[in-house]
Structures are given as structure tokens and as C-alpha cells.
Amino acid sequence: GNLADYALLERTLAEYEINMVFHLAAQTIVGIANRSPLSTFETNIRGTWLLLEATRRNPTVEGVVVASSEKAYGQPHYLPFTEEHPLHGNHPYDVSKSAVDLIAQTYAHTYQLPVAITRFSNLYGGGDLNWNRLLPGTIRSVLRGQPPVIRSDGSFKRDYVYVEDAVRAYLTLAELVGQPGICGEAFNFGLGQPASALEVVETVIRVSDIPHVQPLILDEVRNEIRDEYLHAEKACRLLGWLPQYDLESGLIRTMGWYRDFLDSQQQRT
């Protein structure tokens, strides 16, 4: 169904007696958002208020966890981002996440809907088939013996969270969302160890045991923030969340998944 179909959202929540909602649906690609802001705003912003309104009207819902993003902060006034940093997105995707974040807070504070918000660093792990991302695009290129492509100049820094750590964060937050001090709050989730795009690619190459591959640096990025990374002390203190995987150990597990996946795809052809 369509996230912008309010009747469908309300009927689904009611007919399946949903008690916990994880709102992860979005247009998630920065480049697409720059090219197509209207569809991004329609899905990310309007889709969010429609879903929250449907949950507000459904008595079975006991909590909602809404996916915002570190990009909701926009250009950094300081780094690492803390939850107190203003939400000042400038470009279409960033603005959509700033709006999502504020709308979710509105439903918590105005209507006492049990909502909590996640602001994650870049997520990676098996199952993501959007090859335009640095991860998993680099992994596929390296496993094929091809030069991985870096769209920036290689120096842009990001923090990365392995998907299993992200799942634990979502489940923990869902269990606690109705408690005082959690409801209506936003939480950062990140390692606090930013790596440049070139460092990420070099780590992929190192753990792949295919050392002869060299990256192709395009330096063509526009409308992207140079450095982004988070402070996750609040999540650690209030939720007891700590990442279990650093970048290298997460990439080793991720590499194994994509190696198996690409091998199975090749066998089918």
C-alpha cells in the first residue's frame, strides 16, 4: 500500500490490531531527493503526519518509533551532534527529516501519543541492495574485482552503525517508549568514530583479501554535508544501548552476506 493513503493506514492498524509501529518508510536517497523534492516531501513528511494521525485514532497502538536521521541536524554548529543541536536541514532530504522529527515530537507533546525518535548515523549491513550507496556499492565492486567509486573527494566523514546494532536500538526503544523520560524524546545512535569515505573503502578492501583494487574518486558531490557524526551518550544512559560492532567487525559480517548473495545471483544466471 501507499504511505500517503490515510484510509489504508487506519484500516491496517485497526484490522490487524497493531500495538507497536516502527515508522521506517521513506524516500531515503539524498540524490533522488535533490532531483525530486516533491515526491520526497510527499512520502517523508505527509506520510509521517498521516501515519501518526492514524495511530492517534487507534486505541490498540501502545507506541510508535519514528526514524529521523542525523541529517535532520543540517549543517553542524558543532560536532559530534548531540540531541540538543538545532534541526536545521537545508536540502530536500535533510529538510524532510527535520520536519519528520518535529512532527513526531508534536504528536508526543500535544496528544501524549507514545512516540520516540531515532537519529542514526549511516546504517549498513546485509540486505541493502541500493548499490548507489558507498556501502554496499563498494562491497559489490570489490568482490567483483572492480574499482569502487567514491562520489566525493574521499574526505567526507561519516559514522557507520551495523544493522544488528540498529535493530537492538529499535527494539529497546520500543520496549521503553511509554516511560517518562523516553516518550517524546529523540535519541542519537552512532559509534562516535567517524571515518572518511576513503577510509571506509580502504577498510572494505582490507577485509576482502582483494588488495589490488583501487578506488575511483569522482569528486562530484553537491548539496551534501561534509562531516557528520553523533554523540550517543543519551542512548547509553537512558536505554543502556552500546554498539557491539566497530566498523571493521561489522564490515566482515556484511562482506560475508554479500559474498553469498552475489554468488547465488551468479549461479542463477
Side-chain angles (χ1 to χ4, degrees), residues 2-261:
N2 191 326
L3 187 62
D5 185 344
Y6 178 80
L8 174 64
L9 297 176
E10 195 168 63
R11 187 171 74 248
T12 301
L13 292 169
E15 290 184 2
Y16 291 93
E17 299 181 308
I18 302 300
N19 55 41
M20 182 59 62
V21 175
F22 295 91
H23 176 33
L24 309 181
Q27 194 297 101
T28 62
I29 309 303
V30 172
I32 293 175
N34 286 333
R35 293 193 302 271
S36 182
L38 294 185
S39 63
T40 299
F41 295 155
E42 177 76 9
T43 299
N44 295 7
I45 303 176
R46 183 167 180 261
T48 294
W49 81 55
L50 290 176
L51 178 61
L52 290 174
E53 181 65 12
T55 59
R56 182 174 78 91
R57 293 176 175 276
N58 194 290
T60 67
V61 175
E62 299 172 1
V64 186
V65 181
V66 173
S68 180
S69 167
E70 69 178 355
K71 290 190 177 300
Y73 293 120
Q75 289 289 343
H77 294 187
Y78 57 83
L79 289 172
F81 290 122
T82 65
E83 288 83 355
E84 289 73 34
H85 192 286
L87 304 181
H88 278 170
N90 291 319
H91 304 298
Y93 179 77
D94 309 355
V95 166
S96 78
K97 285 301 183 180
S98 298
V100 163
D101 207 304
L102 291 168
I103 290 167
Q105 293 179 51
T106 293
Y107 271 82
H109 298 307
T110 303
Y111 304 110
Q112 289 71 55
L113 188 69
V115 179
I117 301 150
T118 66
R119 297 172 185 164
F120 271 97
S121 296
N122 288 29
L123 297 173
Y124 71 98
D128 183 1
L129 301 183
N130 187 339
W131 308 111
N132 290 323
R133 301 185 199 272
L134 185 66
L135 297 173
T138 294
I139 293 174
R140 183 176 69 167
S141 296
V142 169
L143 290 176
R144 290 178 170 178
Q146 300 170 346
V149 174
I150 299 176
R151 294 184 299 110
S152 70
D153 63 5
S155 68
F156 286 42
K157 289 185 177 181
R158 299 288 186 269
D159 201 0
Y160 292 84
V161 177
Y162 181 55
V163 65
E164 291 184 23
D165 282 329
V167 170
R168 285 193 304 104
Y170 274 108
L171 294 177
T172 301
L173 195 51
E175 290 173 355
L176 300 174
V177 66
Q179 295 187 8
I182 306 299
C183 180
E185 293 292 312
F187 293 87
N188 288 344
F189 296 97
L191 295 184
Q193 300 172 2
S196 70
L198 184 57
E199 288 170 335
V200 171
V201 170
E202 289 172 342
T203 304
V204 171
I205 293 170
R206 184 171 66 252
V207 303
S208 73
D209 295 324
I210 309 176
H212 62 277
V213 177
Q214 296 296 320
L216 175 62
I217 299 176
L218 300 182
D219 191 15
E220 64 180 19
V221 163
R222 301 293 181 269
N223 296 336
E224 285 198 32
I225 297 167
R226 175 164 288 276
D227 296 335
E228 295 175 316
Y229 53 98
L230 301 171
H231 196 305
E233 185 275 335
K234 182 178 177 181
C236 175
R237 174 167 45 87
L238 296 182
L239 306 177
W241 179 86
L242 283 172
Q244 295 180 351
Y245 296 90
D246 62 13
L247 180 61
E248 183 165 328
S249 60
L251 283 175
I252 289 171
R253 290 175 67 86
T254 303
M255 183 78 70
W257 189 93
Y258 284 103
R259 185 178 280 111
D260 292 343
F261 173 79

